[in-house]
PDB file of all heavy atoms in Angstrom:
ATOM      1  N   LYS A  66     -24.673  12.425 -45.698  1.00 95.00           N
ATOM      2  CA  LYS A  66     -23.975  12.461 -46.987  1.00 95.00           C
ATOM      3  C   LYS A  66     -24.186  13.823 -47.641  1.00 95.00           C
ATOM      4  O   LYS A  66     -25.081  14.575 -47.242  1.00 95.00           O
ATOM      5  CB  LYS A  66     -24.465  11.337 -47.902  1.00 95.00           C
ATOM      6  CG  LYS A  66     -25.828  11.563 -48.506  1.00 95.00           C
ATOM      7  CD  LYS A  66     -26.094  10.531 -49.601  1.00 95.00           C
ATOM      8  CE  LYS A  66     -27.258  10.955 -50.476  1.00 95.00           C
ATOM      9  NZ  LYS A  66     -27.003  12.195 -51.231  1.00 95.00           N
ATOM     10  N   PRO A  67     -23.395  14.151 -48.652  1.00 93.00           N
ATOM     11  CA  PRO A  67     -23.598  15.421 -49.346  1.00 93.00           C
ATOM     12  C   PRO A  67     -24.873  15.413 -50.182  1.00 93.00           C
ATOM     13  O   PRO A  67     -25.399  14.354 -50.526  1.00 93.00           O
ATOM     14  CB  PRO A  67     -22.362  15.543 -50.252  1.00 93.00           C
ATOM     15  CG  PRO A  67     -21.535  14.345 -50.031  1.00 93.00           C
ATOM     16  CD  PRO A  67     -22.286  13.380 -49.187  1.00 93.00           C
ATOM     17  N   GLY A  68     -25.331  16.626 -50.512  1.00 93.00           N
ATOM     18  CA  GLY A  68     -26.406  16.740 -51.482  1.00 93.00           C
ATOM     19  C   GLY A  68     -27.701  17.292 -50.940  1.00 93.00           C
ATOM     20  O   GLY A  68     -27.867  17.507 -49.741  1.00 93.00           O
ATOM     21  N   VAL A  69     -28.614  17.539 -51.869  1.00 95.00           N
ATOM     22  CA  VAL A  69     -29.966  18.013 -51.539  1.00 95.00           C
ATOM     23  C   VAL A  69     -30.844  16.776 -51.379  1.00 95.00           C
ATOM     24  O   VAL A  69     -30.990  15.985 -52.316  1.00 95.00           O
ATOM     25  CB  VAL A  69     -30.510  18.936 -52.648  1.00 95.00           C
ATOM     26  CG1 VAL A  69     -31.950  19.328 -52.359  1.00 95.00           C
ATOM     27  CG2 VAL A  69     -29.622  20.184 -52.768  1.00 95.00           C
ATOM     28  N   ILE A  70     -31.440  16.620 -50.189  1.00 97.00           N
ATOM     29  CA  ILE A  70     -32.100  15.363 -49.828  1.00 97.00           C
ATOM     30  C   ILE A  70     -33.467  15.635 -49.224  1.00 97.00           C
ATOM     31  O   ILE A  70     -33.614  16.487 -48.343  1.00 97.00           O
ATOM     32  CB  ILE A  70     -31.248  14.593 -48.798  1.00 97.00           C
ATOM     33  CG1 ILE A  70     -29.843  14.309 -49.355  1.00 97.00           C
ATOM     34  CG2 ILE A  70     -31.937  13.297 -48.374  1.00 97.00           C
ATOM     35  CD1 ILE A  70     -28.825  13.967 -48.282  1.00 97.00           C
ATOM     36  N   ASP A  71     -34.467  14.898 -49.675  1.00 97.00           N
ATOM     37  CA  ASP A  71     -35.770  14.877 -49.027  1.00 97.00           C
ATOM     38  C   ASP A  71     -35.678  13.847 -47.892  1.00 97.00           C
ATOM     39  O   ASP A  71     -35.694  12.643 -48.138  1.00 97.00           O
ATOM     40  CB  ASP A  71     -36.852  14.485 -50.030  1.00 97.00           C
ATOM     41  CG  ASP A  71     -38.259  14.512 -49.440  1.00 97.00           C
ATOM     42  OD1 ASP A  71     -38.392  14.393 -48.205  1.00 97.00           O
ATOM     43  OD2 ASP A  71     -39.230  14.623 -50.208  1.00 97.00           O
ATOM     44  N   THR A  72     -35.567  14.322 -46.683  1.00 97.00           N
ATOM     45  CA  THR A  72     -35.332  13.401 -45.564  1.00 97.00           C
ATOM     46  C   THR A  72     -36.532  12.499 -45.287  1.00 97.00           C
ATOM     47  O   THR A  72     -36.363  11.401 -44.759  1.00 97.00           O
ATOM     48  CB  THR A  72     -34.989  14.176 -44.283  1.00 97.00           C
ATOM     49  OG1 THR A  72     -36.034  15.118 -43.992  1.00 97.00           O
ATOM     50  CG2 THR A  72     -33.680  14.928 -44.440  1.00 97.00           C
ATOM     51  N   GLN A  73     -37.729  12.951 -45.632  1.00 95.00           N
ATOM     52  CA  GLN A  73     -38.916  12.145 -45.353  1.00 95.00           C
ATOM     53  C   GLN A  73     -39.033  10.957 -46.302  1.00 95.00           C
ATOM     54  O   GLN A  73     -39.380   9.850 -45.894  1.00 95.00           O
ATOM     55  CB  GLN A  73     -40.179  13.015 -45.435  1.00 95.00           C
ATOM     56  CG  GLN A  73     -40.230  14.107 -44.370  1.00 95.00           C
ATOM     57  CD  GLN A  73     -40.072  13.554 -42.971  1.00 95.00           C
ATOM     58  OE1 GLN A  73     -40.790  12.639 -42.560  1.00 95.00           O
ATOM     59  NE2 GLN A  73     -39.141  14.108 -42.213  1.00 95.00           N
ATOM     60  N   THR A  74     -38.736  11.162 -47.569  1.00 97.00           N
ATOM     61  CA  THR A  74     -38.818  10.053 -48.535  1.00 97.00           C
ATOM     62  C   THR A  74     -37.486   9.330 -48.693  1.00 97.00           C
ATOM     63  O   THR A  74     -37.451   8.175 -49.111  1.00 97.00           O
ATOM     64  CB  THR A  74     -39.257  10.564 -49.918  1.00 97.00           C
ATOM     65  OG1 THR A  74     -38.226  11.404 -50.465  1.00 97.00           O
ATOM     66  CG2 THR A  74     -40.566  11.349 -49.822  1.00 97.00           C
ATOM     67  N   GLY A  75     -36.383  10.033 -48.396  1.00 97.00           N
ATOM     68  CA  GLY A  75     -35.056   9.464 -48.587  1.00 97.00           C
ATOM     69  C   GLY A  75     -34.468   9.710 -49.958  1.00 97.00           C
ATOM     70  O   GLY A  75     -33.353   9.273 -50.261  1.00 97.00           O
ATOM     71  N   HIS A  76     -35.172  10.453 -50.820  1.00 98.00           N
ATOM     72  CA  HIS A  76     -34.719  10.689 -52.192  1.00 98.00           C
ATOM     73  C   HIS A  76     -33.593  11.725 -52.215  1.00 98.00           C
ATOM     74  O   HIS A  76     -33.696  12.783 -51.596  1.00 98.00           O
ATOM     75  CB  HIS A  76     -35.874  11.184 -53.052  1.00 98.00           C
ATOM     76  CG  HIS A  76     -35.500  11.413 -54.485  1.00 98.00           C
ATOM     77  ND1 HIS A  76     -35.429  10.393 -55.406  1.00 98.00           N
ATOM     78  CD2 HIS A  76     -35.166  12.563 -55.151  1.00 98.00           C
ATOM     79  CE1 HIS A  76     -35.074  10.897 -56.583  1.00 98.00           C
ATOM     80  NE2 HIS A  76     -34.909  12.201 -56.448  1.00 98.00           N
ATOM     81  N   SER A  77     -32.517  11.412 -52.950  1.00 97.00           N
ATOM     82  CA  SER A  77     -31.394  12.335 -53.121  1.00 97.00           C
ATOM     83  C   SER A  77     -31.521  13.060 -54.459  1.00 97.00           C
ATOM     84  O   SER A  77     -31.373  12.442 -55.522  1.00 97.00           O
ATOM     85  CB  SER A  77     -30.063  11.579 -53.079  1.00 97.00           C
ATOM     86  OG  SER A  77     -29.811  11.069 -51.793  1.00 97.00           O
ATOM     87  N   TYR A  78     -31.784  14.361 -54.404  1.00 96.00           N
ATOM     88  CA  TYR A  78     -31.864  15.151 -55.628  1.00 96.00           C
ATOM     89  C   TYR A  78     -30.473  15.448 -56.183  1.00 96.00           C
ATOM     90  O   TYR A  78     -30.310  15.664 -57.376  1.00 96.00           O
ATOM     91  CB  TYR A  78     -32.624  16.449 -55.369  1.00 96.00           C
ATOM     92  CG  TYR A  78     -34.102  16.228 -55.156  1.00 96.00           C
ATOM     93  CD1 TYR A  78     -34.621  16.081 -53.868  1.00 96.00           C
ATOM     94  CD2 TYR A  78     -34.977  16.134 -56.228  1.00 96.00           C
ATOM     95  CE1 TYR A  78     -35.985  15.858 -53.665  1.00 96.00           C
ATOM     96  CE2 TYR A  78     -36.335  15.907 -56.042  1.00 96.00           C
ATOM     97  CZ  TYR A  78     -36.832  15.775 -54.749  1.00 96.00           C
ATOM     98  OH  TYR A  78     -38.171  15.537 -54.564  1.00 96.00           O
TER      99      TYR A  78
END
Side-chain angles (χ1 to χ4, degrees):
K66 75 169 196 64
V69 175
I70 302 162
D71 183 337
T72 56
Q73 295 305 307
T74 67
H76 182 81
S77 292
Y78 289 94

